[in-house]
Amino acid sequence: MKNIFNYSGATISDFENAIDQFGWVIYENALNEGLIAQIINDLEPAYLQRREIQTQNGIETNMEGTLHHLLECDNFSLNFLEQMFCDKEMRFFLGGNYILNGFSAVINMKNDRPYVQNIHRDLRSFTGNMKMMIQMIVLLDHFTEENGATYLLSGSHKEDVKPSEEYFYKYADRAITQKGSIILFDSNLWHAAGKNYTENARKVLTLSFTKPFFKPMFDFPRYLGYEFGESLSESLRQVVGYNARIPADLYEFYQPPHKRMYLSSQG
């Protein structure tokens, strides 16, 4: 297809044409084996922690294999973000600086029925040509038809109409590709995780990025700590959201421009 590229050789022109026509792009050979192994090693304890909280709060149904808000000080997440995967593509799509909106993972296991297998889009409001959010799926295992490769309805990012199940599964493409690939797609695109019919778990990271003024799913700077942010590189401070915070009192509000919670560079 005209929307599958090698990560090291793709151009912005390739991205622009594919994201406009199809609404999604695959970049193969993006992650190396060492980073993939680090991520997988951290997912098991992270899942156990989140699953316990889901169960305690009575929301475990249809949440199997889902891990939300993985950005933490002592796991793989900062190392991953420091790589700035697809930075030029996301800057092009969002028109400049962007921030992290959500950082999650899905461990798709046989017989599970998590909500991500429902036909959905990741923006509840259709934004059309106003690009507000872009999604990233990071493959930690090969994607096959048998293990639940994601369904993506090409072109559906241009229409504010949810397709019927019959139409969706008849015409949607499958993201059949290899471990270490990255899928980028317009958040207006209708999609769904597939069912895993194999005995092996199929693991991915799922991230979303937005224009800086868009409210994130989680207050990452407050969670990590404002002082911790001082130790981060400029690129990480930007992506994690330290340059797009909301003042909580008058002292935080009345600051010189370079010390303000929401910097002028954020648009």
Side-chain angles (χ1 to χ4, degrees):
M1 294 182 67
K2 296 180 180 179
N3 58 340
I4 301 177
F5 308 101
N6 187 284
Y7 181 68
S8 63
T11 68
I12 283 293
S13 179
D14 293 330
F15 173 77
E16 181 181 10
N17 293 332
I19 203 74
D20 177 65
Q21 179 179 353
F22 299 99
W24 58 283
V25 182
I26 291 178
Y27 294 108
E28 296 183 327
N29 304 306
L31 277 70
N32 61 46
E33 288 288 347
L35 181 54
I36 294 171
Q38 181 191 8
I39 296 169
I40 291 174
N41 184 65
D42 286 345
L43 285 188
E44 183 176 357
Y47 178 62
L48 293 176
Q49 178 194 22
R50 286 156 178 77
R51 190 60 177 162
E52 181 178 357
I53 296 171
Q54 292 170 2
T55 302
Q56 287 175 354
N57 289 346
I59 60 167
E60 69 274 18
T61 303
N62 297 328
M63 296 284 282
E64 302 95 333
T66 60
L67 302 79
H68 300 86
H69 310 312
L70 288 167
L71 183 57
E72 297 177 352
C73 299
D74 57 357
N75 69 3
F76 71 90
S77 57
L78 291 172
N79 180 32
F80 175 84
L81 290 176
E82 191 77 84
Q83 311 298 315
M84 300 300 290
F85 290 109
C86 300
D87 176 65
K88 65 181 186 298
E89 288 82 5
M90 294 193 292
R91 284 183 175 277
F92 176 87
F93 186 84
L94 295 169
N97 282 327
Y98 58 88
I99 64 170
L100 181 69
N101 179 265
F103 195 145
S104 303
V106 176
I107 303 173
N108 193 346
M109 295 173 281
K110 187 177 182 179
N111 298 324
D112 281 354
R113 243 338 233 124
Y115 67 90
V116 292
Q117 291 182 6
N118 299 328
I119 301 168
H120 67 284
R121 64 184 182 199
D122 292 297
L123 274 172
R124 294 187 180 182
S125 300
F126 179 68
T127 60
N129 291 328
M130 182 181 294
K131 303 307 182 185
M132 301 291 291
M133 179 187 290
I134 190 167
Q135 307 299 128
M136 175 185 287
I137 298 178
V138 181
L139 276 64
L140 306 176
D141 293 294
H142 298 311
F143 261 24
T144 69
E145 291 188 2
E146 292 74 25
N147 73 2
T150 299
Y151 291 87
L152 301 153
L153 186 58
S154 296
S156 64
H157 60 300
K158 298 184 177 183
E159 300 289 340
D160 186 19
V161 179
K162 182 177 182 179
S164 66
E165 285 200 10
E166 180 182 4
Y167 183 91
F168 180 85
Y169 288 111
K170 181 178 180 179
Y171 293 105
D173 293 300
R174 303 294 296 274
I176 307 298
T177 190
Q178 58 192 343
K179 176 173 67 173
S181 298
I182 289 176
I183 305 169
L184 289 182
F185 62 96
D186 188 316
S187 296
N188 286 306
L189 188 79
W190 292 99
H191 62 285
K195 296 179 181 179
N196 186 355
Y197 295 102
T198 74
E199 300 298 327
N200 299 315
R202 190 224 66 193
K203 301 171 290 295
V204 299
L205 298 181
T206 59
L207 299 89
S208 53
F209 300 89
T210 65
K211 291 179 179 291
F213 60 77
F214 198 100
K215 184 169 68 175
M217 293 176 61
F218 201 74
D219 191 342
F220 297 110
R222 186 158 64 96
Y223 174 68
L224 296 175
Y226 291 166
E227 290 186 5
F228 178 76
E230 298 299 324
S231 69
L232 300 179
S233 66
E234 282 302 311
S235 60
L236 272 180
R237 284 183 58 80
Q238 171 60 47
V239 173
V240 173
Y242 280 96
N243 296 340
R245 293 172 286 166
I246 300 173
D249 56 42
L250 290 175
Y251 180 81
E252 290 183 346
F253 180 79
Y254 289 118
Q255 291 288 337
H258 68 286
K259 290 186 176 180
R260 290 176 183 168
M261 305 286 279
Y262 192 99
L263 301 183
S264 61
S265 61
Q266 305 306 291

